[in-house]
Amino acid sequence: MKDTYEFQRIEEKWQRVWEDRKAFHVTEDPSRPKFYCLEMYPYPSGRIHMGHVRNYSIGDVIARFLTMKGLAVLHPIGWDALGMPAENAAIQHGVHPREWTLGNIDHMRAQLKRMGFSYDWDREVNSCQPDYYKWNQWIFLKMFEKGLAFRKESWVNWCPQCRTVLANEQVVTGSCWRCDTAVTQKKMEQWFLKITDYADELLAGHELLRKWPEHVLQMQKNWIGRSTGAHVHFGLEGSARTIEVFTTRLDTIFGATFLVVSPEHPLVPDLIAGRRDLETWAAKTVAGKRMKREIGETEKEGVDTGKKAVNPFNGERIPVWLANYVLMDYGTGAIMAVPAHDERDFEFARDYGIAIRTVIAPPGQEATRYDAEPAEVFIEPGVLVNSGPFSGLRSKEAMDKMGAYAEEKGFGRRSTAYRLRDWGISRQRYWGTPIPIIYCETCGTSGVPYGDLPVEIPYDVEITGAEGSPLERLESFVRTTCPKCGGPARRETDTMDTFVDSSWYFFRYCSPRERTLPFTRKASSYWLPVDLYIGGVEHAILHLIYSRFFTKVLRDFDLTGVSEPFPHYLAQGMVTKDGSAMSKSKGNIVDPDDILKEYGADALRVFILFASPPDKEFAWSEEGLEGCFRFLVRVWTLVLENLDLFAAGTEGETRPGPSSDPAVGLTRKTHRTVRKVGEDIQVRLHLNTAVSSLMEFLNAIRKVKDALRETPDGRTALRRALETFIALLSPFAPHMAEELWERTGRRGLVMNSAWPAYDPELAREELATIVVQVNGRLRDKFEAEPGLPEAEMETRALALPRIQGLLGGRRPRKVVCVKDKLVNIVA
Ligand SMILES: [Zn+2]
Ligand SMILES: [Zn+2]
């Protein structure tokens, strides 16, 4: 047989072997340490893309490496299989969402197998199968029992294109996260999950997430948006009602010159009764683009209601305005406007000619008189002025005292507010988990009895894309009997946001065929938490907050002891080409299938791991890929040219000795590479430098191989280097590694062999000899580990006694360093 590198044949061969032997199957083994390596499960859109290849290649190296290190490694995959695109395919191509989804899954599963990923396929989960989403319903019912799932009428984000409600998290700068259509507002009855009950714990949990990227924690923190301040009731003149505001700056309340109420506020109909002009304005504003209002993109607009509110601190009457820059969702939907000390209020007051009054002076300037309207806004804390009995206090102290005063008088309280809202999960779509609720005219709202789960997604349905849920029009689905009275009743037709599915799938992997619970305590307590979670940073808010929330809820249901599911999250960088992210619209997509055909899975894996660290952007380049392919060909050739070394009876010695002996030199290089590659993978997750160490190792072997073949010791060193190389290569290029392992006569699979050990003495980096010159003449030298920073080289050279003697206490005029070689001192 010819010995060219026939990657296609080799890759198919080993994929078959792995499959036949169930090589990636893993079970709980209390005698071994475990590792749960998880990549975000994909949406089955039809084909895997380079982002997937990168994400999964990173995880696969870690999983294979730790398996060789002797750990029990759980490395599962599944499908986030419910959601909109399947319905769009049904509308556009007339194919049933179920067939479309399952067909895509089959195709993508085959693609993942062609990449050689070491998934335990016995644990595959698929969220569109009733045996999975049954447990969404089960968890929902538990939450319903505890009041964590509830229904209320509310303003919701509505995507006119997708014809469904969106969670706040799914509205990206005013547009639908999926289709980019501008989002509008609608008032609807919706199901919510009470994530706000966990707001404080979600924040506090960040303390445990030390292995998360800082910016991701910051994004979550901003999203939760905890702020401390006070709630204060302003009286409404001529009414028994009050308007409640939340403020983080109670110290500025004497500067409140107007009150602003959101047009969605429940008091608005009273405030503007009989004023057609105001009603029109409010209706128009409410229907507008909410996120634009929220991020301050729209021009600030408002109308004076003519009503007056009374400031409880000083009895002052101030006008009540409606304005688009206040949202019902945040705080109480009303604010006290303090234009002198808040930028938005300042702008608004200037535009509409409302009074501006200074009540906070910069520290040290409180003696100045502040009668005139200020020309600029001052938002820092300071010292109170024009604030009655509180004048002269510093902001912080004033907030405490004024809060206490409000509590004592009964018109306010010190409090905390959050930006986080409860999670609206109702979707008016077909291809989602039916919400297991039944409405009866007599008995009201009931959960579907647990024994009747799952409520299956009916197959026989017409999907036209018309407004409203297709389930709503399916009488056979809607009509049911009430579990309480047995009378006729109606099913809820909303389905769950698919982010519910992905909020707990990592538990399901632990016991994927469990039939009595979503997962067993035994298996999940062995595997969880996930030791390394890898996926795109676009999930920083949605998925990664929801999963943390679900885990805490499941813990409170006593189903798990884990509070934080992902103590280590690696946000993998983007895949780009020609300077921008690969995307259909940019037309710069490289299809993994084409690359598999031309170069094979091993070359693609090596390249995608080599070209940049996992958390950094990765720029696609054909030349880079070719370079990695050539590297593999050189490995192939080198091993096969030296196969004779692996025949019996070539055992020599590896004695410690000078590195100038090429056999000893290569042995040292071998041990050093084992150490370096292991540390790069495990300690630093620098898979790119691990690959470059292998490339260096290859070059080192090639340089000395001919000389080494001449002596018994040399042959032993060479053989050991080669077999070590194959083992180190196997997490990255597993097919080639298996093939070479077999050809060198090793038994079993390299993936099941032990990761090579290294001798710390032999693995020590060789010291560099650094020459020290003074005024161009060699005066001394010292040894140092390679790569010493220049500043450190300089310090060490100047500390040498001979050099100190020569300098006689004077500082050198100049020092020039050449890394690992030379320090030149100009005295
Ligand atoms: Zn949309
Ligand atoms: Zn009933």
Side-chain angles (χ1 to χ4, degrees), residues 153-161 164-176 181-190 192 262-265 282-294 324 326-330 421 428 467:
E153 185 177 64
S154 72
W155 289 99
V156 293
N157 306 301
W158 179 259
C159 174
Q161 175 68 29
T164 190
V165 166
L166 301 172
N168 285 349
E169 289 85 344
Q170 291 164 339
V171 180
V172 182
T173 55
S175 298
C176 171
T181 303
V183 168
T184 58
Q185 295 296 294
K186 243 187 163 180
K187 203 162 198 181
M188 292 176 77
E189 286 274 346
Q190 295 291 299
F192 289 87
S262 148
E264 292 100 340
H265 197 285
K284 186 193 79 196
T285 307
V286 167
K289 296 172 185 174
R290 200 180 75 117
M291 286 302 279
K292 293 224 160 145
R293 282 166 59 196
E294 186 171 329
N324 62 353
V326 175
L327 291 152
M328 193 57 219
D329 269 4
Y330 301 124
R421 299 288 106 186
Q428 294 67 45
E467 178 144 350

Side-chain angles (χ1 to χ4, degrees), residues 438-446 481-489:
I438 293 170
Y439 302 105
C440 167
E441 294 213 343
T442 321
C443 315
T445 305
S446 325
T481 46
C482 170
K484 286 185 183 143
C485 70

Side-chain angles (χ1 to χ4, degrees), residues 231-307:
H231 281 87
V232 180
H233 289 271
F234 280 66
L236 190 57
E237 200 178 52
S239 161
R241 308 181 74 163
T242 61
I243 301 178
E244 188 181 28
V245 305
F246 175 77
T247 174
T248 57
R249 290 296 302 274
L250 186 59
D251 57 320
T252 65
I253 198 165
F254 280 78
T257 52
F258 59 113
L259 216 66
V260 187
V261 174
S262 148
E264 292 100 340
H265 197 285
L267 270 180
V268 167
D270 284 356
L271 288 171
I272 62 177
R275 295 273 309 268
R276 285 300 296 271
D277 54 329
L278 297 188
E279 283 169 7
T280 311
W281 183 88
K284 186 193 79 196
T285 307
V286 167
K289 296 172 185 174
R290 200 180 75 117
M291 286 302 279
K292 293 224 160 145
R293 282 166 59 196
E294 186 171 329
I295 58 180
E297 247 185 39
T298 40
E299 192 98 345
K300 289 175 188 52
E301 265 182 31
V303 286
D304 187 349
T305 62
K307 299 279 196 296

Side-chain angles (χ1 to χ4, degrees), residues 159-163 166 176-181:
C159 174
Q161 175 68 29
C162 303
R163 293 186 195 83
L166 301 172
C176 171
W177 69 295
R178 192 190 287 288
C179 73
D180 225 23
T181 303

Side-chain angles (χ1 to χ4, degrees), residues 359-556:
V359 290
I360 304 290
Q365 297 175 36
E366 58 268 25
T368 317
R369 286 183 66 91
Y370 290 95
D371 294 340
E373 290 203 350
E376 277 178 356
V377 61
F378 177 69
I379 59 169
E380 304 297 318
V383 180
L384 275 66
V385 296
N386 297 332
S387 296
F390 302 100
S391 293
L393 294 176
R394 291 189 161 257
S395 288
K396 192 174 173 324
E397 195 188 348
M399 286 191 247
D400 277 346
K401 291 213 161 137
M402 295 167 87
Y405 178 76
E407 282 165 15
E408 189 192 311
K409 298 283 177 192
F411 59 74
R413 65 196 152 87
R414 285 168 284 193
S415 56
T416 306
Y418 298 89
R419 184 174 180 274
L420 185 70
R421 299 288 106 186
D422 283 325
W423 174 13
I425 58 154
S426 282
R427 297 291 179 272
Q428 294 67 45
R429 307 302 318 176
Y430 164 70
W431 196 231
T433 305
I435 293 178
I437 288 289
I438 293 170
Y439 302 105
C440 167
E441 294 213 343
T442 321
C443 315
T445 305
S446 325
V448 170
Y450 287 94
D452 292 350
L453 297 183
V455 177
E456 288 202 29
I457 307 170
Y459 185 81
D460 210 4
V461 69
E462 208 193 341
I463 297 160
T464 58
E467 178 144 350
S469 164
L471 294 178
E472 220 169 63
R473 296 186 291 271
L474 195 65
E475 278 297 306
S476 59
F477 176 82
V478 175
R479 271 193 227 163
T480 185
T481 46
C482 170
K484 286 185 183 143
C485 70
R490 296 178 63 79
R491 276 188 200 286
E492 171 64 66
T493 58
D494 283 353
T495 54
M496 296 182 197
D497 182 358
T498 57
F499 278 91
V500 171
D501 316 357
S502 53
S503 290
W504 68 280
Y505 75 109
F506 42 93
F507 280 100
R508 185 69 182 167
Y509 282 139
C510 299
S511 43
R513 307 292 163 251
E514 168 61 27
R515 302 176 71 101
T516 59
L517 284 170
F519 52 90
T520 68
R521 177 113 194 180
K522 186 162 171 277
S524 65
S525 61
Y526 178 76
W527 290 117
L528 278 152
V530 172
D531 295 278
L532 178 63
Y533 196 24
I534 311 164
V537 73
E538 67 273 19
H539 298 291
I541 307 269
L542 296 141
H543 168 57
L544 288 172
I545 286 192
Y546 294 153
S547 303
R548 296 182 58 223
F549 160 57
F550 257 61
T551 301
K552 292 169 200 305
V553 170
L554 295 170
R555 177 205 58 200
D556 291 347

